[in-house]
Amino acid sequence: LNQALEQRVQERTAALKESNEQMEAFVYSVSHDLRGPLRTIKGFTEILRDQYASDLDSSAQDYVNRIMKSAKYMDSLTQDLLGYSRLSRAEFNLENLETGICLDAVVLQLSEEIEQKKAKLKIKKPLSSVLAHSTPLEQIFTNLISNALKFSKPNERPALRIWAKEKNGHVGLFFEDKGIGIAPEHHERIFRIFERLHSPNEYPGTGIGLALVKKAAERMNGSVGVESELDRGSKFWVELPRANN
Ligand code: ADP
């Protein structure tokens, strides 16, 4: 009986894996194929806005602007979805990486936004080395830092502290902000794809960032989580295996 059960579990797991892979391939091809028509919509809307503005009354101009805004949102959505499904399919080469170097590269990429928002960023170095793949590691940092910059309290400068702590062969990386915070009942669901706690008008975004962070960490044998309360800032953590000696 045990053997039969074991066999059935293996068959179900294989079937589930296959349907998951099919689903991911489907998401990839839909988001990829949507980009062509979307480019056309954006292109012609731009022509209407830039070359025909004088022929359009104010209502028509408003419609054109709205089409543009929606097309831009759809563009981010398809791009983020592509990034997410690429992450599921990519081969990872896990190697010893210095977290500090990856983080510096990400901070440099985000420097314009950091300066524009006058964000206070404190990185406690040295940060430990981890066993990871550089692209998904940088994607994790980019998403967590961008969120800290985005979800700051209105009229306050974003503030973010980053540090690392080693424990039992793992490295915990912590990202603590002083932003709007997250009520405990939402801590789990924000890591699921498309789960957002605000409308895109309040805070722009697609709801894919944290799902990508979770998937990237899990694919590198790590985990993620958050400690937070509403109005009291958030502390996101990512745990990854420590680099080999
Ligand atoms: P997006 O940033 O596109 O909304 P994410 O998946 O990155 O999507 O985040 C999901 C939701 O989690 C956000 O919409 C927001 O409600 C919440 N969230 C993420 N990071 C923070 C943060 N640092 N502070 C407060 N809320 C956050």
Side-chain angles (χ1 to χ4, degrees), residues 144-177:
L144 293 179
I145 299 175
S146 304
N147 279 349
L149 296 175
K150 180 163 62 174
F151 296 106
S152 58
K153 289 184 183 155
N155 307 319
E156 275 190 24
R157 285 167 64 186
L160 175 63
R161 232 163 42 91
I162 303 173
W163 71 97
K165 203 169 159 188
E166 287 194 25
K167 201 176 158 192
N168 302 334
H170 279 79
V171 174
L173 296 161
F174 298 88
F175 296 77
E176 187 174 43
D177 65 48

Side-chain angles (χ1 to χ4, degrees), residues 94-230:
L94 302 183
E95 53 179 345
N96 289 349
L97 291 177
E98 265 189 58
T99 326
I101 294 180
C102 293
L103 199 58
D104 287 346
V106 170
V107 169
L108 191 68
Q109 269 172 28
L110 295 173
S111 56
E112 208 180 307
E113 194 183 345
I114 293 172
E115 273 166 36
Q116 189 208 338
K117 295 194 166 168
K118 298 192 168 64
K120 292 180 268 181
L121 186 62
K122 265 197 197 153
I123 303 176
K124 194 168 169 230
K125 288 200 177 168
L127 295 167
S128 311
S129 293
V130 292
L131 194 60
H133 184 90
S134 60
T135 313
L137 187 64
E138 288 185 9
Q139 282 176 309
I140 291 178
F141 295 162
T142 305
N143 278 297
L144 293 179
I145 299 175
S146 304
N147 279 349
L149 296 175
K150 180 163 62 174
F151 296 106
S152 58
K153 289 184 183 155
N155 307 319
E156 275 190 24
R157 285 167 64 186
L160 175 63
R161 232 163 42 91
I162 303 173
W163 71 97
K165 203 169 159 188
E166 287 194 25
K167 201 176 158 192
N168 302 334
H170 279 79
V171 174
L173 296 161
F174 298 88
F175 296 77
E176 187 174 43
D177 65 48
K178 294 201 162 121
I180 58 172
I182 305 155
E185 64 267 29
H186 300 310
H187 288 184
E188 240 183 86
R189 81 169 170 104
I190 52 168
F191 289 97
R192 284 188 228 130
I193 197 158
F194 298 134
E195 292 283 357
R196 311 193 71 233
L197 307 177
H198 309 273
S199 75
N201 286 335
E202 275 178 291
Y203 293 96
T206 57
I208 296 174
L210 287 180
L212 189 142
V213 167
K214 186 167 193 276
K215 172 149 284 203
E218 286 174 355
R219 287 217 51 205
M220 296 188 290
N221 308 313
S223 52
V224 291
V226 65
E227 288 168 26
S228 180
E229 275 179 52
L230 206 54

